[in-house]
Each structure stands twice: as structure tokens, then as C-alpha cells.
């Protein structure tokens, strides 16, 4: 609620138009002033009056995430190629091609560096969710992920963990099994546990194992498999995103850094 009031106040003071879809509209006068107030800002550069599936996916992701992610602002920059060519200067500043939409993730520490949303990736709610999960330290659970176990996965992935420390985390996870008795949650829980048990016994690092396992699963997804198998493999990929070196999901994840 505090975050919403803050954005609305900024919008009023700067004379911006507040988009009822969970995004704030930015222009050359407001861009830096607004973006610097949030740790992260996901900006979609698009035509002045966007529409279609890609726009709807961005809006739906914003609506889904606004209440859960206080440190992430969703913003729109509409670029006109006619008349007074509004926001064309922002397009030039951030090297926006005329192939819209273009999505960039900004960090308020410096606006000169940003992460480009891969142009080959589809713009869907799921893909946007994965993009934020992969490029920030914000907790945004991918489908099938379990927040409490994700926090332990973050601890598990911290570099230079001894085998004893990994074994201790595995033991903590094993004690949580009773919390996930529902069928879908239990399936996810078993994937976390299986991965952790295997990695705790290997000589290679968690990051090396996860990278090779992702490649293996992606190759399987390219083959002819049933819809159920495909769903299981995508669930496995989502869960593996939780094992990221240096990713802190919660204060608990930093206990042994």
C-alpha cells in the first residue's frame, strides 16, 4: 500500500499519466527521476498505443507482481514516429530499434547499464517471470517453486560450501517434507530434495551441475515427448532456477555467507 501511494504521489507531482494496468508511463522528463527511486524497473519501450498479446502479457505480469514485489516498478515508454515524435529521444538514448516492443531491466545504481530482454524469447508472463528471477535478487517464484525451499536452495548454492554444510541443508529440507503433502507441492519438493542429495555427493560445484543438468533437460525438451513429460521437465527447469550463486531470497539465505 505504501508503495502504491508513493508511486501515485510521484505521478501527481510530475504530471504523469497513471496507467490503471499496474504500470507507470514515463517520458524524458520523468524517466530518470522515477527509475532512480526503485531498485529495479522493468521498462517496455513500444509504440505510443500498444496492443496485442505481447502487451497483454506485460500488463498481466505487472498486475500479478505489483503487490508481491515492492522493489520492482513496471513502466511503459510510448515512442511516436510522427508529429512531435514523443520519446524518440529516449529511444535513441537506449538504442531502441524500431522493432517493438523492446524490454529492458534497469537497476537504480546506474541507468547506463541495463539488462536486455532476449529478443528471441517469447514475451509471455512465464518468460518475463523467469527473466526477473534470473537477473535480480528478488523472490519471484516460478510455477511449481516453493518459497521456503527456495530459500534453502539459495543457501545451498553459496560458493565454497563444504560437503558437511551441504549435508546439513539437505537434512533441513528432509525435515520439511511434511509441509508439502498436496500432490503438486510434493512433486516439486521431491525434485528439490533429489537435486540437493545428488549435488551434496558430487565433487563438482553446484553451479557446474545445474548448468549441465539444464542443458540435458533442454535437449530432452527438443525431442518428441508427451505433454506430461514436458510439464515435468519444465517444472525441473523452474526449480533449478532457484539454485543461483549469490542469490539472496531472504535474510535466512545469507546466514552462512
Amino acid at each position: 500500500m505504501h508503495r502504491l501511494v508513493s508511486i501515485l504521489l510521484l505521478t501527481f507531482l510530475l504530471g504523469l499519466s497513471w496507467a490503471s494496468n499496474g504500470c507507470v508511463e514515463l517520458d524524458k522528463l520523468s524517466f530518470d527521476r522515477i527509475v532512480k527511486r526503485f531498485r529495479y524497473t522493468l521498462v517496455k519501450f513500444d509504440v505510443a498505443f500498444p496492443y496485442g498479446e505481447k502487451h497483454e502479457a506485460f500488463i498481466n505480469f505487472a498486475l500479478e507482481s505489483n503487490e508481491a514485489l515492492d522493489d520492482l516498478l513496471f513502466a511503459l515508454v510510448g515512442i511516436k514516429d510522427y508529429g512531435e515524435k514523443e520519446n524518440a529521444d529516449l529511444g535513441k538514448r537506449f538504442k531502441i530499434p524500431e522493432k517493438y516492443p523492446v524490454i529492458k531491466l534497469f537497476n537504480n545504481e546506474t541507468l547506463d547499464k541495463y539488462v536486455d530482454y532476449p529478443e528471441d524469447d517469447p514475451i509471455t508472463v512465464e518468460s518475463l517471470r523467469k527473466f526477473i528471477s534470473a537477473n535480480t535478487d528478488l523472490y519471484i517464484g516460478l510455477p511449481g517453486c516453493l518459497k521456503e525451499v527456495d530459500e534453502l536452495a539459495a543457501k545451498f548454492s553459496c560458493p565454497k560450501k563444504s560437503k558437511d554444510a551441504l549435508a546439513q541443508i539437505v537434512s533441513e529440507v528432509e525435515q520439511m517434507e511434511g509441509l508439502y503433502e498436496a500432490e503438486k507441492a510434493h512433486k516439486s519438493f521431491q525434485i528439490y530434495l533429489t537435486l540437493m542429495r545428488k549435488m551434496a555427493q558430487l565433487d563438482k560445484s553446484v553451479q557446474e551441475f545445474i548448468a549441465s543438468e539444464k542443458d540435458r533437460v533442454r535437449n530432452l525438451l527438443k525431442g518428441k515427448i508427451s505433454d506430461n513429460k514436458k510439464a515435468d521437465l519444465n517444472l525441473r527447469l523452474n526449480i533449478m532456477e532457484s539454485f543461483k550463486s549469490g542469490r539472496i531470497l531472504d535474510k535466512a539465505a545469507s546466514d552462512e555467507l
Side-chain angles (χ1 to χ4, degrees), residues 3-249:
R3 177 172 182 267
L4 179 60
V5 171
S6 176
I7 299 174
L8 286 171
L9 178 60
L10 287 170
T11 301
F12 173 76
L13 292 175
L14 296 174
L16 301 175
S17 59
W18 173 258
S20 61
N21 49 30
C23 301
V24 63
E25 297 176 5
L26 302 178
D27 57 28
K28 66 179 182 180
L29 298 177
S30 62
F31 191 94
D32 287 28
R33 296 173 69 182
I34 295 294
V35 173
K36 285 180 179 178
R37 292 177 178 269
F38 292 85
R39 287 186 62 209
Y40 300 103
T41 302
L42 190 66
V43 182
K44 181 167 75 72
F45 297 84
D46 209 334
V47 296
F49 303 102
Y51 63 92
E53 292 182 358
K54 295 177 181 179
H55 180 65
E56 290 300 318
F58 190 86
I59 297 309
N60 288 336
F61 181 52
L63 290 171
E64 171 189 295
S65 306
N66 258 313
E67 290 299 319
L69 300 174
D70 288 342
D71 290 331
L72 177 62
L73 175 70
F74 293 85
L76 303 172
V77 173
I79 300 176
K80 290 183 178 179
D81 60 359
Y82 57 88
E84 296 183 1
K85 296 188 176 182
E86 295 176 19
N87 294 329
D89 43 4
L90 282 177
K92 183 177 180 180
R93 174 183 175 186
F94 295 114
K95 301 179 176 62
I96 306 299
E98 293 184 2
K99 184 181 178 181
Y100 301 117
V102 175
I103 297 173
K104 295 179 182 288
L105 176 67
F106 292 85
N107 186 311
N108 65 358
E109 292 181 1
T110 172
L111 302 188
D112 295 326
K113 294 182 180 180
Y114 42 81
V115 182
D116 290 311
Y117 186 84
E119 59 180 67
D120 294 332
D121 283 6
I123 298 178
T124 64
V125 171
E126 182 177 352
S127 295
L128 288 166
R129 190 187 290 116
K130 287 183 177 180
F131 176 70
I132 294 299
S133 179
N135 292 287
T136 74
D137 58 356
L138 302 176
Y139 178 75
I140 177 166
L142 299 178
C145 290
L146 309 172
K147 183 178 180 181
E148 293 81 2
V149 192
D150 273 354
E151 292 170 359
L152 290 174
K155 290 175 62 176
F156 196 91
S157 305
C158 292
K160 299 182 180 179
K161 272 283 192 296
S162 68
K163 285 198 171 184
D164 286 344
L166 294 179
Q168 177 59 41
I169 295 174
V170 172
S171 179
E172 289 183 54
V173 174
E174 288 172 339
Q175 294 174 32
M176 298 170 66
E177 185 166 7
L179 300 176
Y180 303 103
E181 296 180 350
E183 182 179 353
K184 288 185 178 180
H186 192 260
K187 177 185 285 189
S188 295
F189 179 83
Q190 288 300 320
I191 293 174
Y192 283 101
L193 188 55
T194 299
L195 288 170
M196 288 184 180
R197 282 172 172 168
K198 187 168 186 176
M199 289 186 283
Q201 298 300 318
L202 296 176
D203 290 329
K204 64 172 62 176
S205 71
V206 170
Q207 290 72 42
E208 289 174 320
F209 173 83
I210 290 296
S212 62
E213 182 66 6
K214 281 182 178 179
D215 287 340
R216 185 186 73 83
V217 172
R218 286 174 181 142
N219 285 332
L220 289 174
L221 282 167
K222 294 176 183 177
K224 293 183 179 180
I225 56 177
S226 67
D227 289 343
N228 286 338
K229 181 65 173 177
K230 184 180 292 186
D232 288 344
L233 291 175
N234 279 317
L235 173 60
R236 192 175 184 87
L237 280 177
N238 287 348
I239 288 172
M240 284 192 286
E241 288 295 328
S242 301
F243 294 86
K244 291 187 178 297
S245 176
R247 181 180 179 203
I248 304 303
L249 304 176

